[in-house]
Amino acid sequence: MAGKQAKVLTATQISTVLLHLGSTRHAARDRVMFLLSAKAGFRAKEIAMVEWSMVLTATGEVGDVIHLEDRATKRSSGRSVPMNKELRSALVDLHGKGIRGADHPVIFSERGIGMTPNTVVAWFSRLYQRLGFLGCSSHSGRRTFVTTAAKKVAMAGGSLRDVQQLVGHASLAMTARYIEGDSDAKRKLVNLI
């Protein structure tokens, strides 16, 4: 896929992925892994590097915000990302299955150790290939998150700057490259003018 952007997932594709992941060997982990991409906009590295200490409150419960530390992000640009309700619920479920400690990775391999970013990329590749989603990659969830957030940010009273900060882009221009246009929305917009 060199030179091409990962495809944005449709709502039907997201539902299909979640239904499929419910039947996998590590369903709770797999669900969190996918939702970190599609509902938090995380990169493969961020998915691999997120630890329970970044998710849990001081009392050891899953919080409402993920505090990505500098070491877990691109260009050491840590950020705090409010949690989507579906993602939080999946994290609560995974946390209930037991963890080794606050410094333990949220996403782990079958041997119980953290995954590398390349392993996360390969996991997404196998997932989308299994489901027949052509053009999708580990970045598809991130592009889906950015595109959806950009479409809905005005409803929340925000701006594209909020989307930029949520995904940790250095510039609005980079965020804009992630947003997929919508022909129907363009027609509706023109008719509003």
Side-chain angles (χ1 to χ4, degrees), residues 176-190:
R177 284 193 274 185
Y178 276 66
I179 301 168
E180 186 163 292
D182 182 334
S183 296
D184 290 337
K186 290 175 197 169
R187 276 190 283 278
K188 289 176 187 174
L189 177 61
V190 169

Side-chain angles (χ1 to χ4, degrees), residues 30-155:
D30 294 349
R31 184 175 176 82
V32 167
M33 205 160 154
F34 176 73
L35 292 173
L36 284 169
S37 176
K39 299 293 183 175
F42 282 16
R43 300 173 176 98
K45 176 187 178 182
E46 294 165 345
I47 293 169
M49 299 289 294
V50 69
E51 296 176 351
W52 285 107
S53 62
M54 300 176 199
V55 174
L56 301 177
T57 65
T59 59
E61 298 171 351
V62 174
D64 294 327
V65 176
I66 300 174
H67 300 283
L68 275 179
E69 296 175 10
D70 287 350
R71 62 187 164 81
T73 63
K74 191 173 180 178
R75 294 181 316 276
S76 296
S77 56
R79 63 186 187 278
S80 294
V81 180
M83 253 189 260
N84 167 280
K85 291 176 186 176
E86 190 175 6
L87 171 57
R88 186 179 183 286
S89 176
L91 281 163
V92 167
D93 181 45
L94 183 60
H95 185 254
K97 299 201 181 307
I99 59 170
R100 291 193 178 125
D103 62 343
H104 192 264
V106 171
I107 303 303
F108 50 88
S109 70
E110 288 192 12
R111 290 173 286 179
I113 58 173
M115 291 186 179
T116 66
N118 285 340
T119 305
V120 171
V121 169
W123 182 89
F124 276 103
S125 178
R126 284 189 307 275
L127 170 68
Y128 293 136
Q129 188 175 31
R130 205 174 303 129
L131 295 173
F133 295 174
L134 300 176
C136 292
S137 73
S138 61
H139 232 56
S140 290
R142 185 167 168 81
R143 281 204 68 219
T144 301
F145 177 84
V146 172
T147 297
T148 304
K151 288 179 179 180
K152 297 185 177 190
V153 71
M155 291 169 37

